[in-house]
Amino acid sequence: MPLRLLCIVGPTAIGKTKLAVRLAEHWHSEIISVDSRQVYRGLDIGTGKDLADYSINGKTVPYHMIDITSPEVAYTVYEYQQAVYHLLEWFLKKDDYAEGKKPIILCGGSGLYLEAVLKGYRIPSVPEDSAFRNSLSEVKLAELDKMLLTTAPHLYQLTDKSSSKRIIRALEVARAGGVLQEENFVPISFEHEILCLQLPREELYARIAKRLDQRLKEGLIEEVEQLASMLSSLRLSQLGMEYREISQYLDGQCSRAQMRENLFREICRLSRRQQTWFKGMPRRALPMRTIESWDENNLLSLL
């Protein structure tokens, strides 16, 4: 039998990790993080690793693709895809997984990374071009979107356009003559099911606000300060909105209250972009089941 993959997706702050951990604990299974930033060491609070959530009933659920690389150098979707394929080959050596008795759980909100694994995109291994990236660092997201559509239409539909960093990467690939192709180039056999969590917008925004305030109390500002001592301001801003907005606050460009408001607004925008991405996955031949309410104490009723 092929490997079984159970994918838990949905917008930020909706509760994907806790749900995945409960399911993994039930099956004595393992989790692969599908998050483009949790791969970096030191980006703990800002990326919501919530590693304490992986401990349940006195045991720690094994997890993968978290804390695997330095934040100093960009970790690409190509590297992520290949690392996950190697992980799946490793799981094949374990009888319970190889015989389909229990699933491997993929959990996260980075839709492009999940699709790269499930659909086997052929992704060129194009090296980072720092000068080219720097030349586009101040260009607005909408303008980058237009540039990608005009100069690399073959990459446009296969790029997560919610992120300036990812559009610039696509432009970088195109500039080097690379092509991201949807060719079903999957080197290992598996079956998958996708569960997409949803909540009413007001409830989701309330969760985002509560989680943001909690993370600020837990030391998010101090985390950014520590990273700022290691990384350039450009690299820090490339690591996401939390690191960009808080670094601007630390530089005196805004008040703490304004920083918090800016960050809340940006995270809400991210949640909408994530939902748009996941809604489009069935059109890209990745059907899913939408889960609008769930009971963590009766999780198997979802399956």
Side-chain angles (χ1 to χ4, degrees):
M1 293 181 64
L3 293 173
R4 291 169 56 204
L5 308 184
L6 177 63
C7 309
I8 309 294
V9 303
T12 187
I14 204 167
K16 298 181 293 294
T17 299
K18 287 185 177 180
L19 178 57
V21 168
R22 289 291 188 93
L23 290 170
E25 190 262 347
H26 171 81
W27 278 305
H28 305 287
S29 187
E30 303 188 26
I31 295 174
I32 297 176
S33 169
V34 187
D35 190 291
S36 63
R37 299 187 301 160
Q38 290 186 4
V39 296
Y40 296 115
R41 293 185 290 271
L43 277 68
D44 301 328
I45 301 172
T47 65
K49 289 176 184 172
D50 299 328
L51 297 183
D53 288 347
Y54 288 86
S55 297
I56 185 169
N57 296 330
K59 298 180 180 180
T60 299
V61 170
Y63 56 83
H64 306 271
M65 300 307 294
I66 294 177
D67 289 340
I68 63 171
T69 191
S70 166
E72 295 177 273
V73 179
Y75 190 82
T76 67
V77 65
Y78 171 80
E79 292 172 296
Y80 177 88
Q81 180 200 53
Q82 296 305 305
V84 171
Y85 286 155
H86 286 307
L87 269 175
L88 297 182
E89 290 174 351
W90 176 75
F91 276 111
L92 265 181
K93 299 175 183 178
K94 298 187 173 188
D95 290 344
D96 284 352
Y97 294 105
E99 296 171 4
K101 294 179 180 178
K102 59 184 181 181
I104 304 157
I105 299 175
L106 281 70
C107 173
S110 295
L112 176 61
Y113 282 56
L114 179 63
E115 288 197 29
V117 171
L118 297 183
K119 300 198 71 176
Y121 293 156
R122 284 187 180 269
I123 305 170
S125 181
V126 174
E128 179 179 332
D129 185 335
S130 297
F132 179 69
R133 292 186 175 199
N134 289 341
S135 71
L136 296 176
S137 62
E138 301 299 324
V139 180
K140 300 290 187 182
L141 181 65
E143 184 59 30
L144 289 171
D145 186 291
K146 292 178 182 177
M147 290 173 62
L148 182 61
L149 180 60
T150 302
T151 64
H154 59 291
L155 294 178
Y156 188 80
Q157 294 301 324
L158 299 177
T159 298
D160 179 358
K161 295 175 286 296
S162 68
S163 165
S164 295
K165 177 183 70 175
R166 292 175 191 161
I167 296 179
I168 290 172
R169 173 58 181 169
L171 290 166
E172 185 177 60
V173 168
R175 185 168 180 263
V179 178
L180 179 65
Q181 295 176 307
E182 186 179 341
E183 290 191 3
N184 197 30
F185 183 67
V186 180
I188 193 165
S189 178
F190 56 74
E191 296 176 349
H192 70 267
E193 180 178 11
I194 305 174
L195 302 183
C196 184
L197 308 185
Q198 288 189 2
L199 286 173
R201 179 169 291 185
E202 296 77 12
E203 184 176 350
L204 180 61
Y205 284 2
R207 288 192 181 202
I208 289 172
K210 181 179 179 180
R211 190 181 68 169
L212 173 58
D213 291 336
Q214 182 63 35
R215 289 180 177 174
L216 289 169
K217 290 179 182 178
E218 290 173 352
L220 178 54
I221 293 174
E222 290 75 14
E223 177 172 290
V224 177
E225 285 181 310
Q226 177 63 27
L227 288 165
S229 69
M230 303 164 45
L231 306 173
S232 68
S233 57
L234 174 60
R235 180 60 187 147
L236 195 60
S237 69
Q238 291 172 342
L239 291 172
M241 63 197 74
E242 297 86 356
Y243 303 95
R244 180 181 64 250
E245 296 294 338
I246 292 177
S247 64
Q248 291 176 358
Y249 159 68
L250 292 172
D251 288 342
Q253 298 180 38
C254 61
S255 67
R256 182 185 174 108
Q258 187 61 57
M259 173 271 290
R260 190 268 181 197
E261 180 59 29
N262 291 345
L263 195 45
F264 172 71
R265 185 170 60 249
E266 289 298 316
I267 297 172
C268 290
R269 286 176 179 167
L270 169 64
S271 74
R272 294 195 296 271
R273 293 193 298 265
Q274 287 175 313
Q275 290 176 86
T276 298
W277 182 277
F278 293 127
K279 286 179 181 177
M281 287 174 70
R283 296 194 300 273
R284 298 188 291 274
L286 287 172
M288 65 176 61
R289 278 204 294 144
T290 299
I291 309 296
E292 296 182 344
S293 64
W294 57 94
D295 180 357
E296 292 182 358
N297 296 313
N298 189 23
L299 300 176
L300 293 184
S301 65
L302 300 177
L303 305 176

